[in-house]
Amino acid sequence: MDPRPIGVFDSGFGGLTAVRQLRRIMPSETIIYFGDTARVPYGNRSRDTLLRYARQDVAFLRSFDPKAIVIACGTVSSNCLEELQAENKVPILGVVEPTVRRAIAATRSGRVGLAATRASVSSGAYERLFHRLAPAVEVVSRACPLFVPLVEEGRCRPGDVVIETVAEEYLGPLRGEIDTLVLGCTHYPLLREVIGRVMGPEVELVDAGAEAARAVRDLLEERDALSGGEDQGQARYYTSDQTEQFLRLAPLFLGEDVTGRAEQIDITRY
Amino acid sequence: MDPRPIGVFDSGFGGLTAVRQLRRIMPSETIIYFGDTARVPYGNRSRDTLLRYARQDVAFLRSFDPKAIVIACGTVSSNCLEELQAENKVPILGVVEPTVRRAIAATRSGRVGLAATRASVSSGAYERLFHRLAPAVEVVSRACPLFVPLVEEGRCRPGDVVIETVAEEYLGPLRGEIDTLVLGCTHYPLLREVIGRVMGPEVELVDAGAEAARAVRDLLEERDALSGGEDQGQARYYTSDQTEQFLRLAPLFLGEDVTGRAEQIDITRY
């Protein structure tokens, strides 16, 4: 048993959907979340810049002596995971590999869809990993650039003509073509219902946040490092920009309030 | 007569609508544009960070020995204009004051609308300036947070149910309440037709980019500092992030292609 916290970071708010899943399946764990809201989005950064940012994010979380760190950012998971793992003793998990493994296990037709940001799609990182782990699986990618701003404006519910029109445009063409759809951005689980209606009930939606949470639980179980407590674990939230927007959006992603538990820090000092 | 260039900067792409107007009304001028695409958006930054960024943006443009600099960013115009003017000999113009003056001249009812980003609306900068210059004018502000991402996805044309629904939600409530609407973000001129249909033909739309361009022309005329040339002036574009997205979006804002004229620079060295 290990009472130390689990650290989670993302470029912004999206990683909170992973925190939500962590708190759902391991309610007694303590969570430290860092959202790099001053430097979001990471998607367009050069590899050098990205690695510098990710090292600072890890260094900040390490100041809490965590027993594991989750990279809830697809871009960092795809581009910097190996370096970060090599440089740190604490186990570090990315969000991409558990998601890809789950989709490979789920598909029967061998045709998988990927919905992600424009940066994730053009990086080709998901496709490369699918190709390495299951060369026979065919991946059809769709960039969904308006999903993040629409979710951040709370437009994620069925019946909203704006999100429904955009979701149909982006994903309607995949209907009947695939049997599994990867929600390859941590914002997208909030669109599960809207996307589910577009794709139909036969298509399984694979949620990156939920898969990352499961991967952490498996790792901690294997190492006998679960907290073992019975009380509800605490969660603390840190951002690199003012907390105002964070306090407004976090409840949407987490399904719980964060008032009094969010604080701004200067990430450039780490 | 003065053949030196006019410098323009913004946090991203929006300032290109000011460049378009500059090129329209002063076609023989040379324009240097800097878009700080690696650090966009400026709206949520602390005042210290904002001033540091703006000083670097000005320093970069000064390396071209410009005869005037236009701050095509509402946030910098509202928060840093006086410091930048005090620190530099080259004349520096903001985008906010010319726009407010035009709206004051245009309104008959004394009721003016302001459509802007959430950051601009909550800063209260436009309202304060209206209050100082024309205390009797009443300003009704509407934050329009989805306009920027929708424009950047090219969704700015009448007939698109997504932009029409969002525009009606944001601005429909102002119909019949105002006679003048300030488009208080340099992205919004691309929505002129959509917004015009929502507001109706009686409402005058005041475009920040066009007003800033007019203010520069007036200043240069007054100082006898127009280029005086007869050839089409050149325009060069610089960004702090990779130019790929810039090359994709710039033609939408400018109405002309920029291939071969855009270059990435390291703004942190200025």
Side-chain angles (χ1 to χ4, degrees), chain B residues 158-216:
Chain B
D160 180 331
V161 64
V162 172
I163 187 63
E164 286 187 340
T165 303
V166 170
E168 175 61 31
E169 274 183 33
Y170 288 160
L171 300 174
L174 298 185
R175 197 166 38 234
E177 299 291 316
I178 58 168
D179 68 353
T180 305
L181 178 66
V182 172
L183 306 183
C185 164
T186 43
H187 278 67
Y188 298 180
L190 280 86
L191 297 172
R192 177 174 272 279
E193 212 177 332
V194 169
I195 293 173
R197 287 186 190 202
V198 170
M199 299 312 299
E202 314 77 35
V203 174
E204 177 160 348
L205 304 182
V206 178
D207 163 347
E211 296 312 320
R214 262 192 276 266
V216 180

Tab-separated table of all heavy atoms in Angstrom, chain B residues 158-216:
chain	number	residue	atom	x	y	z
B	158	PRO	N	-22.939	33.251	-44.883
B	158	PRO	CA	-24.386	33.083	-44.733
B	158	PRO	C	-24.803	31.735	-45.317
B	158	PRO	O	-24.223	31.280	-46.313
B	158	PRO	CB	-24.963	34.230	-45.572
B	158	PRO	CG	-23.874	35.225	-45.682
B	158	PRO	CD	-22.594	34.458	-45.671
B	159	GLY	N	-25.777	31.111	-44.668
B	159	GLY	CA	-26.230	29.800	-45.123
B	159	GLY	C	-25.647	28.661	-44.304
B	159	GLY	O	-26.146	27.541	-44.364
B	160	ASP	N	-24.589	28.933	-43.518
B	160	ASP	CA	-24.020	27.917	-42.634
B	160	ASP	C	-24.814	27.945	-41.319
B	160	ASP	O	-24.755	28.919	-40.565
B	160	ASP	CB	-22.535	28.225	-42.396
B	160	ASP	CG	-21.866	27.205	-41.475
B	160	ASP	OD1	-22.550	26.614	-40.600
B	160	ASP	OD2	-20.654	27.004	-41.630
B	161	VAL	N	-25.540	26.865	-41.051
B	161	VAL	CA	-26.447	26.863	-39.897
B	161	VAL	C	-25.674	27.031	-38.582
B	161	VAL	O	-26.197	27.590	-37.613
B	161	VAL	CB	-27.312	25.572	-39.881
B	161	VAL	CG1	-26.455	24.332	-39.687
B	161	VAL	CG2	-28.373	25.624	-38.783
B	162	VAL	N	-24.419	26.594	-38.550
B	162	VAL	CA	-23.637	26.683	-37.313
B	162	VAL	C	-23.348	28.141	-36.969
B	162	VAL	O	-23.697	28.614	-35.879
B	162	VAL	CB	-22.335	25.855	-37.436
B	162	VAL	CG1	-21.428	26.103	-36.239
B	162	VAL	CG2	-22.673	24.370	-37.545
B	163	ILE	N	-22.754	28.886	-37.892
B	163	ILE	CA	-22.434	30.285	-37.579
B	163	ILE	C	-23.714	31.108	-37.453
B	163	ILE	O	-23.811	32.009	-36.604
B	163	ILE	CB	-21.449	30.899	-38.620
B	163	ILE	CG1	-21.012	32.303	-38.167
B	163	ILE	CG2	-22.028	30.974	-40.016
B	163	ILE	CD1	-20.244	32.342	-36.871
B	164	GLU	N	-24.726	30.801	-38.246
B	164	GLU	CA	-25.969	31.571	-38.145
B	164	GLU	C	-26.667	31.360	-36.793
B	164	GLU	O	-27.192	32.313	-36.210
B	164	GLU	CB	-26.909	31.221	-39.310
B	164	GLU	CG	-26.417	31.833	-40.617
B	164	GLU	CD	-27.387	31.664	-41.778
B	164	GLU	OE1	-28.248	30.764	-41.703
B	164	GLU	OE2	-27.264	32.429	-42.749
B	165	THR	N	-26.661	30.126	-36.298
B	165	THR	CA	-27.275	29.841	-34.994
B	165	THR	C	-26.529	30.569	-33.879
B	165	THR	O	-27.135	31.201	-33.000
B	165	THR	CB	-27.255	28.325	-34.708
B	165	THR	OG1	-27.925	27.643	-35.768
B	165	THR	CG2	-27.933	27.997	-33.387
B	166	VAL	N	-25.200	30.477	-33.919
B	166	VAL	CA	-24.385	31.103	-32.876
B	166	VAL	C	-24.533	32.632	-32.922
B	166	VAL	O	-24.711	33.285	-31.882
B	166	VAL	CB	-22.906	30.662	-33.034
B	166	VAL	CG1	-21.996	31.475	-32.142
B	166	VAL	CG2	-22.771	29.172	-32.718
B	167	ALA	N	-24.492	33.202	-34.127
B	167	ALA	CA	-24.604	34.662	-34.260
B	167	ALA	C	-25.966	35.154	-33.759
B	167	ALA	O	-26.063	36.179	-33.081
B	167	ALA	CB	-24.377	35.084	-35.715
B	168	GLU	N	-27.019	34.403	-34.082
B	168	GLU	CA	-28.357	34.786	-33.625
B	168	GLU	C	-28.434	34.728	-32.092
B	168	GLU	O	-28.979	35.627	-31.448
B	168	GLU	CB	-29.424	33.886	-34.265
B	168	GLU	CG	-30.844	34.110	-33.771
B	168	GLU	CD	-31.386	35.517	-34.038
B	168	GLU	OE1	-30.994	36.149	-35.045
B	168	GLU	OE2	-32.205	35.992	-33.214
B	169	GLU	N	-27.854	33.689	-31.505
B	169	GLU	CA	-27.862	33.569	-30.038
B	169	GLU	C	-27.125	34.719	-29.372
B	169	GLU	O	-27.591	35.292	-28.389
B	169	GLU	CB	-27.180	32.269	-29.612
B	169	GLU	CG	-28.091	31.074	-29.599
B	169	GLU	CD	-27.348	29.844	-29.098
B	169	GLU	OE1	-26.450	29.966	-28.242
B	169	GLU	OE2	-27.677	28.766	-29.596
B	170	TYR	N	-25.948	35.042	-29.898
B	170	TYR	CA	-25.129	36.088	-29.276
B	170	TYR	C	-25.728	37.476	-29.485
B	170	TYR	O	-25.735	38.296	-28.570
B	170	TYR	CB	-23.711	36.077	-29.865
B	170	TYR	CG	-22.830	34.917	-29.472
B	170	TYR	CD1	-21.714	34.593	-30.254
B	170	TYR	CD2	-23.051	34.153	-28.327
B	170	TYR	CE1	-20.871	33.541	-29.904
B	170	TYR	CE2	-22.218	33.101	-27.977
B	170	TYR	CZ	-21.129	32.794	-28.769
B	170	TYR	OH	-20.290	31.761	-28.427
B	171	LEU	N	-26.171	37.750	-30.725
B	171	LEU	CA	-26.477	39.133	-31.072
B	171	LEU	C	-27.952	39.416	-31.318
B	171	LEU	O	-28.367	40.586	-31.270
B	171	LEU	CB	-25.637	39.553	-32.296
B	171	LEU	CG	-24.122	39.458	-32.055
B	171	LEU	CD1	-23.352	39.746	-33.339
B	171	LEU	CD2	-23.685	40.425	-30.944
B	172	GLY	N	-28.751	38.375	-31.543
B	172	GLY	CA	-30.186	38.584	-31.740
B	172	GLY	C	-30.818	39.443	-30.641
B	172	GLY	O	-31.622	40.338	-30.941
B	173	PRO	N	-30.459	39.225	-29.371
B	173	PRO	CA	-31.060	40.022	-28.291
B	173	PRO	C	-30.792	41.531	-28.396
B	173	PRO	O	-31.481	42.328	-27.761
B	173	PRO	CB	-30.416	39.449	-27.017
B	173	PRO	CG	-30.035	38.050	-27.390
B	173	PRO	CD	-29.647	38.112	-28.839
B	174	LEU	N	-29.774	41.927	-29.196
B	174	LEU	CA	-29.484	43.363	-29.346
B	174	LEU	C	-30.327	44.024	-30.448
B	174	LEU	O	-30.362	45.259	-30.543
B	174	LEU	CB	-27.999	43.579	-29.683
B	174	LEU	CG	-26.966	43.131	-28.656
B	174	LEU	CD1	-25.576	43.545	-29.110
B	174	LEU	CD2	-27.271	43.745	-27.293
B	175	ARG	N	-30.984	43.196	-31.278
B	175	ARG	CA	-31.738	43.725	-32.419
B	175	ARG	C	-32.842	44.653	-31.912
B	175	ARG	O	-33.597	44.294	-31.011
B	175	ARG	CB	-32.321	42.563	-33.204
B	175	ARG	CG	-32.770	42.886	-34.601
B	175	ARG	CD	-33.027	41.609	-35.420
B	175	ARG	NE	-33.646	40.560	-34.625
B	175	ARG	CZ	-33.153	39.321	-34.501
B	175	ARG	NH1	-32.049	38.961	-35.115
B	175	ARG	NH2	-33.781	38.447	-33.754
B	176	GLY	N	-32.904	45.847	-32.475
B	176	GLY	CA	-33.904	46.819	-32.033
B	176	GLY	C	-33.476	47.620	-30.807
B	176	GLY	O	-34.127	48.590	-30.442
B	177	GLU	N	-32.373	47.209	-30.165
B	177	GLU	CA	-31.920	47.889	-28.939
B	177	GLU	C	-30.824	48.920	-29.219
B	177	GLU	O	-30.589	49.799	-28.407
B	177	GLU	CB	-31.355	46.862	-27.941
B	177	GLU	CG	-32.336	45.805	-27.479
B	177	GLU	CD	-33.414	46.404	-26.590
B	177	GLU	OE1	-33.056	47.206	-25.716
B	177	GLU	OE2	-34.602	46.094	-26.802
B	178	ILE	N	-30.110	48.757	-30.332
B	178	ILE	CA	-28.945	49.599	-30.637
B	178	ILE	C	-29.025	50.044	-32.092
B	178	ILE	O	-29.769	49.448	-32.879
B	178	ILE	CB	-27.622	48.811	-30.436
B	178	ILE	CG1	-27.620	47.550	-31.331
B	178	ILE	CG2	-27.430	48.415	-28.974
B	178	ILE	CD1	-26.288	46.855	-31.430
B	179	ASP	N	-28.252	51.091	-32.446
B	179	ASP	CA	-28.208	51.466	-33.873
B	179	ASP	C	-26.793	51.341	-34.440
B	179	ASP	O	-26.573	51.609	-35.625
B	179	ASP	CB	-28.775	52.876	-34.095
B	179	ASP	CG	-27.908	53.970	-33.487
B	179	ASP	OD1	-26.931	53.649	-32.768
B	179	ASP	OD2	-28.220	55.154	-33.712
B	180	THR	N	-25.829	50.986	-33.579
B	180	THR	CA	-24.435	50.879	-34.008
B	180	THR	C	-23.832	49.690	-33.266
B	180	THR	O	-24.035	49.554	-32.060
B	180	THR	CB	-23.656	52.162	-33.624
B	180	THR	OG1	-24.346	53.299	-34.175
B	180	THR	CG2	-22.228	52.130	-34.141
B	181	LEU	N	-23.104	48.844	-33.995
B	181	LEU	CA	-22.474	47.689	-33.356
B	181	LEU	C	-20.977	47.704	-33.649
B	181	LEU	O	-20.557	47.689	-34.813
B	181	LEU	CB	-23.085	46.379	-33.875
B	181	LEU	CG	-22.472	45.094	-33.297
B	181	LEU	CD1	-22.746	44.959	-31.801
B	181	LEU	CD2	-22.993	43.860	-34.045
B	182	VAL	N	-20.174	47.740	-32.576
B	182	VAL	CA	-18.722	47.665	-32.727
B	182	VAL	C	-18.311	46.200	-32.870
B	182	VAL	O	-18.630	45.376	-32.012
B	182	VAL	CB	-18.023	48.271	-31.493
B	182	VAL	CG1	-16.512	48.013	-31.554
B	182	VAL	CG2	-18.318	49.764	-31.393
B	183	LEU	N	-17.630	45.876	-33.959
B	183	LEU	CA	-17.027	44.553	-34.120
B	183	LEU	C	-15.657	44.628	-33.431
B	183	LEU	O	-14.653	44.994	-34.034
B	183	LEU	CB	-16.886	44.191	-35.598
B	183	LEU	CG	-18.173	44.287	-36.432
B	183	LEU	CD1	-17.906	43.840	-37.873
B	183	LEU	CD2	-19.283	43.457	-35.806
B	184	GLY	N	-15.649	44.334	-32.131
B	184	GLY	CA	-14.509	44.648	-31.277
B	184	GLY	C	-13.433	43.581	-31.257
B	184	GLY	O	-12.733	43.447	-30.260
B	185	CYS	N	-13.294	42.844	-32.317
B	185	CYS	CA	-12.243	41.823	-32.418
B	185	CYS	C	-11.901	41.750	-33.896
B	185	CYS	O	-12.811	41.772	-34.742
B	185	CYS	CB	-12.776	40.479	-31.918
B	185	CYS	SG	-11.761	39.059	-32.394
B	186	THR	N	-10.613	41.683	-34.207
B	186	THR	CA	-10.210	41.789	-35.612
B	186	THR	C	-10.591	40.565	-36.445
B	186	THR	O	-10.441	40.587	-37.666
B	186	THR	CB	-8.691	42.073	-35.716
B	186	THR	OG1	-8.007	41.240	-34.787
B	186	THR	CG2	-8.404	43.524	-35.412
B	187	HIS	N	-11.104	39.518	-35.806
B	187	HIS	CA	-11.646	38.395	-36.595
B	187	HIS	C	-13.040	38.700	-37.160
B	187	HIS	O	-13.455	38.080	-38.138
B	187	HIS	CB	-11.798	37.135	-35.729
B	187	HIS	CG	-10.553	36.332	-35.552
B	187	HIS	ND1	-9.461	36.787	-34.861
B	187	HIS	CD2	-10.225	35.075	-35.968
B	187	HIS	CE1	-8.525	35.841	-34.855
B	187	HIS	NE2	-8.965	34.801	-35.517
B	188	TYR	N	-13.756	39.581	-36.503
B	188	TYR	CA	-15.189	39.690	-36.788
B	188	TYR	C	-15.559	40.299	-38.131
B	188	TYR	O	-16.660	40.031	-38.624
B	188	TYR	CB	-15.905	40.442	-35.654
B	188	TYR	CG	-15.853	39.779	-34.286
B	188	TYR	CD1	-16.476	40.374	-33.188
B	188	TYR	CD2	-15.209	38.560	-34.083
B	188	TYR	CE1	-16.441	39.778	-31.924
B	188	TYR	CE2	-15.169	37.965	-32.822
B	188	TYR	CZ	-15.776	38.586	-31.754
B	188	TYR	OH	-15.740	38.005	-30.508
B	189	PRO	N	-14.685	41.134	-38.746
B	189	PRO	CA	-15.064	41.638	-40.074
B	189	PRO	C	-15.374	40.507	-41.068
B	189	PRO	O	-16.161	40.707	-41.988
B	189	PRO	CB	-13.835	42.440	-40.511
B	189	PRO	CG	-13.250	42.911	-39.234
B	189	PRO	CD	-13.454	41.786	-38.261
B	190	LEU	N	-14.813	39.324	-40.860
B	190	LEU	CA	-15.147	38.210	-41.757
B	190	LEU	C	-16.587	37.753	-41.573
B	190	LEU	O	-17.106	37.007	-42.402
B	190	LEU	CB	-14.194	37.034	-41.542
B	190	LEU	CG	-12.828	37.187	-42.232
B	190	LEU	CD1	-11.848	37.957	-41.383
B	190	LEU	CD2	-12.269	35.841	-42.629
B	191	LEU	N	-17.207	38.178	-40.477
B	191	LEU	CA	-18.598	37.811	-40.214
B	191	LEU	C	-19.564	38.957	-40.540
B	191	LEU	O	-20.727	38.926	-40.155
B	191	LEU	CB	-18.763	37.409	-38.738
B	191	LEU	CG	-17.979	36.178	-38.308
B	191	LEU	CD1	-18.057	35.995	-36.800
B	191	LEU	CD2	-18.513	34.937	-39.013
B	192	ARG	N	-19.040	39.967	-41.241
B	192	ARG	CA	-19.850	41.169	-41.503
B	192	ARG	C	-21.206	40.823	-42.123
B	192	ARG	O	-22.240	41.342	-41.713
B	192	ARG	CB	-19.047	42.114	-42.415
B	192	ARG	CG	-19.762	43.363	-42.848
B	192	ARG	CD	-18.816	44.277	-43.612
B	192	ARG	NE	-18.099	45.172	-42.714
B	192	ARG	CZ	-18.599	46.312	-42.217
B	192	ARG	NH1	-19.825	46.684	-42.533
B	192	ARG	NH2	-17.902	47.066	-41.416
B	193	GLU	N	-21.214	39.914	-43.081
B	193	GLU	CA	-22.469	39.599	-43.766
B	193	GLU	C	-23.430	38.849	-42.831
B	193	GLU	O	-24.620	39.180	-42.755
B	193	GLU	CB	-22.164	38.763	-45.008
B	193	GLU	CG	-23.145	39.021	-46.127
B	193	GLU	CD	-22.782	38.229	-47.382
B	193	GLU	OE1	-21.572	37.938	-47.590
B	193	GLU	OE2	-23.714	37.894	-48.141
B	194	VAL	N	-22.899	37.855	-42.114
B	194	VAL	CA	-23.731	37.075	-41.190
B	194	VAL	C	-24.291	37.988	-40.089
B	194	VAL	O	-25.488	37.965	-39.787
B	194	VAL	CB	-22.906	35.920	-40.563
B	194	VAL	CG1	-23.667	35.269	-39.419
B	194	VAL	CG2	-22.551	34.881	-41.623
B	195	ILE	N	-23.425	38.806	-39.510
B	195	ILE	CA	-23.853	39.696	-38.423
B	195	ILE	C	-24.825	40.752	-38.948
B	195	ILE	O	-25.817	41.084	-38.293
B	195	ILE	CB	-22.625	40.355	-37.740
B	195	ILE	CG1	-21.802	39.281	-37.018
B	195	ILE	CG2	-23.051	41.449	-36.775
B	195	ILE	CD1	-20.468	39.777	-36.450
B	196	GLY	N	-24.562	41.251	-40.156
B	196	GLY	CA	-25.451	42.234	-40.768
B	196	GLY	C	-26.870	41.690	-40.922
B	196	GLY	O	-27.851	42.400	-40.696
B	197	ARG	N	-26.988	40.409	-41.288
B	197	ARG	CA	-28.323	39.814	-41.431
B	197	ARG	C	-29.010	39.660	-40.079
B	197	ARG	O	-30.228	39.802	-39.985
B	197	ARG	CB	-28.216	38.435	-42.081
B	197	ARG	CG	-27.878	38.544	-43.553
B	197	ARG	CD	-27.922	37.182	-44.198
B	197	ARG	NE	-27.363	37.276	-45.544
B	197	ARG	CZ	-27.621	36.404	-46.505
B	197	ARG	NH1	-28.404	35.376	-46.272
B	197	ARG	NH2	-27.082	36.553	-47.694
B	198	VAL	N	-28.242	39.347	-39.032
B	198	VAL	CA	-28.837	39.221	-37.699
B	198	VAL	C	-29.334	40.586	-37.218
B	198	VAL	O	-30.433	40.702	-36.682
B	198	VAL	CB	-27.813	38.643	-36.689
B	198	VAL	CG1	-28.344	38.748	-35.262
B	198	VAL	CG2	-27.482	37.198	-37.030
B	199	MET	N	-28.525	41.622	-37.428
B	199	MET	CA	-28.842	42.931	-36.844
B	199	MET	C	-29.844	43.727	-37.675
B	199	MET	O	-30.540	44.583	-37.146
B	199	MET	CB	-27.561	43.771	-36.685
B	199	MET	CG	-26.505	43.160	-35.767
B	199	MET	SD	-27.166	42.590	-34.175
B	199	MET	CE	-27.789	44.115	-33.487
B	200	GLY	N	-29.888	43.452	-38.968
B	200	GLY	CA	-30.769	44.224	-39.839
B	200	GLY	C	-30.049	45.427	-40.426
B	200	GLY	O	-29.009	45.856	-39.899
B	201	PRO	N	-30.603	45.995	-41.534
B	201	PRO	CA	-29.887	47.029	-42.291
B	201	PRO	C	-29.769	48.371	-41.569
B	201	PRO	O	-28.946	49.205	-41.953
B	201	PRO	CB	-30.731	47.173	-43.567
B	201	PRO	CG	-32.081	46.630	-43.214
B	201	PRO	CD	-31.869	45.595	-42.161
B	202	GLU	N	-30.560	48.592	-40.513
B	202	GLU	CA	-30.506	49.903	-39.838
B	202	GLU	C	-29.297	50.031	-38.914
B	202	GLU	O	-28.960	51.131	-38.469
B	202	GLU	CB	-31.761	50.154	-38.994
B	202	GLU	CG	-33.077	49.839	-39.663
B	202	GLU	CD	-33.364	48.349	-39.692
B	202	GLU	OE1	-32.996	47.657	-38.719
B	202	GLU	OE2	-33.925	47.866	-40.702
B	203	VAL	N	-28.662	48.898	-38.586
B	203	VAL	CA	-27.557	48.944	-37.623
B	203	VAL	C	-26.227	49.090	-38.358
B	203	VAL	O	-25.901	48.289	-39.230
B	203	VAL	CB	-27.554	47.683	-36.739
B	203	VAL	CG1	-26.318	47.654	-35.836
B	203	VAL	CG2	-28.831	47.624	-35.903
B	204	GLU	N	-25.456	50.135	-38.008
B	204	GLU	CA	-24.143	50.320	-38.623
B	204	GLU	C	-23.110	49.458	-37.912
B	204	GLU	O	-23.016	49.469	-36.684
B	204	GLU	CB	-23.735	51.797	-38.562
B	204	GLU	CG	-22.336	51.988	-39.126
B	204	GLU	CD	-22.023	53.411	-39.541
B	204	GLU	OE1	-22.954	54.243	-39.621
B	204	GLU	OE2	-20.824	53.689	-39.784
B	205	LEU	N	-22.336	48.717	-38.701
B	205	LEU	CA	-21.282	47.870	-38.130
B	205	LEU	C	-19.957	48.608	-38.211
B	205	LEU	O	-19.546	49.044	-39.296
B	205	LEU	CB	-21.188	46.549	-38.904
B	205	LEU	CG	-22.488	45.731	-39.001
B	205	LEU	CD1	-22.234	44.420	-39.741
B	205	LEU	CD2	-23.081	45.458	-37.617
B	206	VAL	N	-19.286	48.797	-37.074
B	206	VAL	CA	-18.008	49.502	-37.030
B	206	VAL	C	-16.895	48.467	-36.861
B	206	VAL	O	-16.884	47.710	-35.892
B	206	VAL	CB	-17.969	50.522	-35.878
B	206	VAL	CG1	-16.612	51.206	-35.834
B	206	VAL	CG2	-19.090	51.547	-36.034
B	207	ASP	N	-15.972	48.481	-37.817
B	207	ASP	CA	-14.963	47.437	-37.973
B	207	ASP	C	-13.620	47.962	-37.455
B	207	ASP	O	-13.079	48.936	-37.969
B	207	ASP	CB	-14.953	47.107	-39.468
B	207	ASP	CG	-13.741	46.359	-39.952
B	207	ASP	OD1	-12.743	46.252	-39.234
B	207	ASP	OD2	-13.815	45.891	-41.104
B	208	ALA	N	-13.095	47.318	-36.401
B	208	ALA	CA	-11.877	47.791	-35.746
B	208	ALA	C	-10.689	47.876	-36.712
B	208	ALA	O	-9.923	48.841	-36.677
B	208	ALA	CB	-11.541	46.879	-34.566
B	209	GLY	N	-10.534	46.890	-37.574
B	209	GLY	CA	-9.404	46.896	-38.518
B	209	GLY	C	-9.483	48.079	-39.467
B	209	GLY	O	-8.474	48.760	-39.719
B	210	ALA	N	-10.675	48.340	-39.990
B	210	ALA	CA	-10.846	49.450	-40.935
B	210	ALA	C	-10.597	50.793	-40.257
B	210	ALA	O	-9.982	51.694	-40.830
B	210	ALA	CB	-12.250	49.417	-41.533
B	211	GLU	N	-11.056	50.921	-39.002
B	211	GLU	CA	-10.860	52.197	-38.294
B	211	GLU	C	-9.381	52.431	-37.974
B	211	GLU	O	-8.890	53.559	-38.068
B	211	GLU	CB	-11.703	52.240	-37.017
B	211	GLU	CG	-13.203	52.196	-37.266
B	211	GLU	CD	-13.666	53.173	-38.333
B	211	GLU	OE1	-13.155	54.311	-38.373
B	211	GLU	OE2	-14.523	52.797	-39.151
B	212	ALA	N	-8.680	51.353	-37.589
B	212	ALA	CA	-7.242	51.484	-37.320
B	212	ALA	C	-6.505	51.893	-38.596
B	212	ALA	O	-5.627	52.762	-38.567
B	212	ALA	CB	-6.684	50.177	-36.770
B	213	ALA	N	-6.881	51.301	-39.718
B	213	ALA	CA	-6.230	51.640	-40.997
B	213	ALA	C	-6.455	53.118	-41.336
B	213	ALA	O	-5.530	53.818	-41.745
B	213	ALA	CB	-6.768	50.744	-42.108
B	214	ARG	N	-7.692	53.596	-41.163
B	214	ARG	CA	-7.983	55.013	-41.409
B	214	ARG	C	-7.165	55.917	-40.499
B	214	ARG	O	-6.655	56.947	-40.921
B	214	ARG	CB	-9.470	55.290	-41.169
B	214	ARG	CG	-10.286	55.309	-42.440
B	214	ARG	CD	-11.680	55.881	-42.159
B	214	ARG	NE	-12.560	54.835	-41.661
B	214	ARG	CZ	-13.366	54.119	-42.433
B	214	ARG	NH1	-13.397	54.324	-43.733
B	214	ARG	NH2	-14.142	53.189	-41.921
B	215	ALA	N	-7.024	55.497	-39.217
B	215	ALA	CA	-6.261	56.317	-38.267
B	215	ALA	C	-4.795	56.426	-38.694
B	215	ALA	O	-4.181	57.488	-38.576
B	215	ALA	CB	-6.381	55.729	-36.857
B	216	VAL	N	-4.233	55.337	-39.201
B	216	VAL	CA	-2.837	55.380	-39.679
B	216	VAL	C	-2.726	56.309	-40.876
B	216	VAL	O	-1.802	57.128	-40.958
B	216	VAL	CB	-2.343	53.973	-40.095
B	216	VAL	CG1	-0.902	54.057	-40.589
B	216	VAL	CG2	-2.440	52.999	-38.946
